[in-house]
Amino acid sequence: MLEHKSAAHILAEKIDRDGPIALSEYMAIANTAYYAAKDPIGEDGDFVTAPEMSQMFGELVGIWLADLWLRKEQPDHVHYVELGPGRGTLASDALRAMSKFDCNPQAHFVETSPVLKAKQAQLHKSAAWHETIDSLPTDAPLLIVANEFFDALPVEQFVATQAGWRRHMVARERNKFIAIPGTQTIDNQISKSSAGLPNGTILESSPASIQIFGELSHRIAKQGGAILVIDYGYDRPGTGSTLQAVKDHMPISPFDSPGTSDLTAHVDFHSLGNIAKTRLLSVHGPAEQGQWLKALGIDQRAKRLAELVPKKADNIRAAHHRLTHVDEMGRLFRVMAATSMDWPQPEGFVYGDS
């Protein structure tokens, strides 16, 4: 029987054998092991996502998608695509809401975790699963949802030193993982556009996010449809590390126990929006999640649910607060959409008069 090696063991062997590795490689190995081993979502896991807090979240996503489809004159054939769909809860609520408008797309899930695939299959027996976006259908418009997906993709970090910009690497010291500047200076677009910043300044980028979002944008431009991205992140490029780890709902060091905690970084919505524009898509937002949900009617939906199920009224109000309040998820989480040029302007975003 083959010995199962933990992510920490794999990383330690690799670093001891080959020397320090890029932070992006460290993050990729750790998160691949983490999601393959467990269902991390819920009170018994490490974190709770918006769809698990309340059905209102998924319902409003579904209504948003159905509204686009209706105003696009109800194309006969469309596909619902979700990236990293968790337990399938968001898709369940969204597809139920969409069906009320006679919009019943085939569901496609891009998922690599066998544990989460099993959970998703309990709710979506007729869905199609994909290991990568490459096998998504090419015969019809795509309605793509990415809720807390891009934050888990690997990031690169570059640190300013007296000798120039160097890639952040992960090494081992006294049997612990640590981040150190690489030994070689980096001559790339990031370093050229950030000259003059003080030593110790950290810049982040996510080549994996750029690649995936670029390919999806190309698909939307060619096939029609929309991409909806909901995640925590920033609207304009900034400095500093946003890498973080969560275990048992508590923050820990990203370099403690890799493979047993959720490693994430803030999403660069500015770069994603620029990528979509290069594919000639219309970009909408980013907007604050709270503002977006309120524009779609979450206040009214919460009031109605509380009236229908008075025993759960306090829980419904608590979920509404957590999803929309500026001190909870309402401001930190952003919402951005990219649509095919010949698709309608989506609801929920603030548009100028021009």
Side-chain angles (χ1 to χ4, degrees), residues 229-290:
V229 180
I230 306 173
D231 226 314
Y232 51 86
Y234 46 91
D235 301 350
R236 290 286 180 267
T239 61
S241 172
T242 69
L243 181 67
Q244 59 189 14
V246 173
K247 186 174 183 179
D248 296 327
H249 302 273
M250 296 294 292
I252 66 169
S253 167
F255 304 104
D256 288 347
S257 306
T260 66
S261 63
D262 180 40
L263 288 181
T264 61
H266 287 206
V267 175
D268 181 356
F269 282 97
H270 180 74
S271 293
L272 296 187
N274 284 342
I275 288 295
K277 290 173 184 176
T278 66
R279 271 60 171 189
L280 302 181
L281 300 187
S282 298
V283 176
H284 316 274
E288 294 179 4
Q289 177 178 286

Side-chain angles (χ1 to χ4, degrees), residues 159-213:
V159 58
T161 70
Q162 287 186 333
W165 287 91
R166 293 184 175 179
R167 179 176 277 108
H168 245 164
M169 309 293 284
V170 177
R172 289 226 303 157
E173 185 178 90
R174 297 177 182 174
N175 294 324
K176 291 185 177 181
F177 297 102
I178 60 169
I180 62 169
T183 57
Q184 296 181 334
T185 56
I186 303 298
D187 183 23
N188 61 11
Q189 195 59 42
I190 288 180
S191 61
K192 290 176 182 177
S193 63
S194 307
L197 289 175
N199 288 344
T201 299
I202 293 175
L203 296 174
E204 281 183 347
S205 69
S206 177
S209 296
I210 295 300
Q211 179 185 354
I212 290 174
F213 198 77

Side-chain angles (χ1 to χ4, degrees), residues 68 141-144 220 223-227 338-340 342-343:
L68 272 180
L142 304 176
L143 301 175
I144 304 173
I220 295 296
Q223 297 173 227
I227 310 173
T339 57
S340 176
D342 60 346
W343 273 60

Side-chain angles (χ1 to χ4, degrees), residues 18-35:
D18 302 329
I21 62 174
L23 177 65
S24 57
E25 185 175 4
Y26 171 87
M27 189 173 174
I29 292 172
N31 271 355
T32 297
Y34 174 72
Y35 283 100

